[in-house]
Amino acid sequence: MTVTSEQRYGEFVVVRRHEGQDHVAELVLDRPKAMNAVSTDMARSIAAACDALGADRDVRATVLTSSHERAFCVGADLKERNSFTDADLVRQRPTARAAYTGVLELPMPVIAAVHGFALGGGFELALACDVIVADATAVVGLPEVSVGVIPGGGGTQLLPRRVGAGGARAAELVFSARRVEAAEARELGLVDELVEAGRDREEALALGGRIAANSPVGLRAAKKALRLGQGLDLRAGLEVEDAAWRSVAFSGDRAEGVAAFNEKRRPDWPGE
């Protein structure tokens, strides 16, 4: 796939656009020498890249990938953390949080392409996405309690939302700190699609392209309704949905979508 543009954020994060996928952005974790361990600088760059993507109305889908052959992301940079004083850790916390919330709060659909290790903060970056495509080499988990902390990038909240009511499965995974290989991860709902080894990025970008063919106004509103409705009772959730529907019902995209359907042609979305 031919890269048509590339924007680097700091040393370790790059956003790419590809020929034939005008409305899909690839957000690449690019710290291969450390298996994408999230340092302070890398966290800052992830947040900056997400700020730029969130403001880009041309992007209809984002795919989060890794440049490392054997890992998506191994989590926080524990070598850096080992040198921290307590005061350093307190100062770094807002920067670390901004990276995870940056991915979580992207307004368009986001797909993670996971291969190899996605552990701790690495798995939390994937959990912050809407869909996780994993290949057969994927190994996921939240091992933080094994090093004396807890998941701090959203894992204690996002994992239970994935694996069902009650939270017992999420509790077992967090308390045991165990690593889960690809087949079991798919069975437990820790990942959404399981593909052949080496095909996670290709399949995730293809899915991004299919998503990006749809109304950008509709996609952002649908994501907002899905996210805001989580955890609400049905009546409250339906009110969230109605508000999202009203935000798109009188849009240019709605008019174009209906016209294109009736004229049996592909929509030319105005994006407003």
Side-chain angles (χ1 to χ4, degrees), residues 28-114:
V28 187
L29 305 177
D30 189 31
R31 196 187 178 202
K33 291 183 180 179
M35 300 180 82
N36 289 329
V38 182
S39 63
T40 303
D41 285 345
M42 187 172 178
R44 191 175 291 115
S45 295
I46 292 170
C50 288
D51 283 345
L53 285 169
D56 189 343
R57 300 293 298 186
D58 191 52
V59 178
R60 302 178 190 171
T62 295
V63 180
L64 180 62
T65 70
S66 162
S67 66
H68 195 283
E69 293 182 355
R70 295 187 296 108
F72 174 73
C73 173
V74 295
D77 186 342
L78 296 185
K79 290 183 179 179
E80 179 188 61
R81 294 277 181 92
N82 192 49
S83 68
F84 279 6
T85 65
D86 288 352
D88 291 332
L89 192 60
V90 169
R91 280 192 294 269
Q92 193 235 21
R93 179 61 176 162
T95 302
R97 286 196 69 186
Y100 299 104
T101 57
V103 176
L104 184 65
E105 293 178 358
L106 281 170
M108 77 291 292
V110 185
I111 306 153
V114 174

Side-chain angles (χ1 to χ4, degrees), residues 4 6 18 53 58 67 72 81 91 93 118 130 159 164 173 184-185 189 193 195 199 218 220 228 246 263-264 267:
T4 57
E6 183 171 293
H18 301 278
L53 285 169
D58 191 52
S67 66
F72 174 73
R81 294 277 181 92
R91 280 192 294 269
R93 179 61 176 162
D130 301 292
L159 187 60
L173 292 167
E184 185 185 3
E193 295 188 25
V195 300
R199 290 185 57 85
R220 290 184 179 222
L228 293 180
R246 291 175 185 277
E263 296 167 15
K264 297 181 172 56

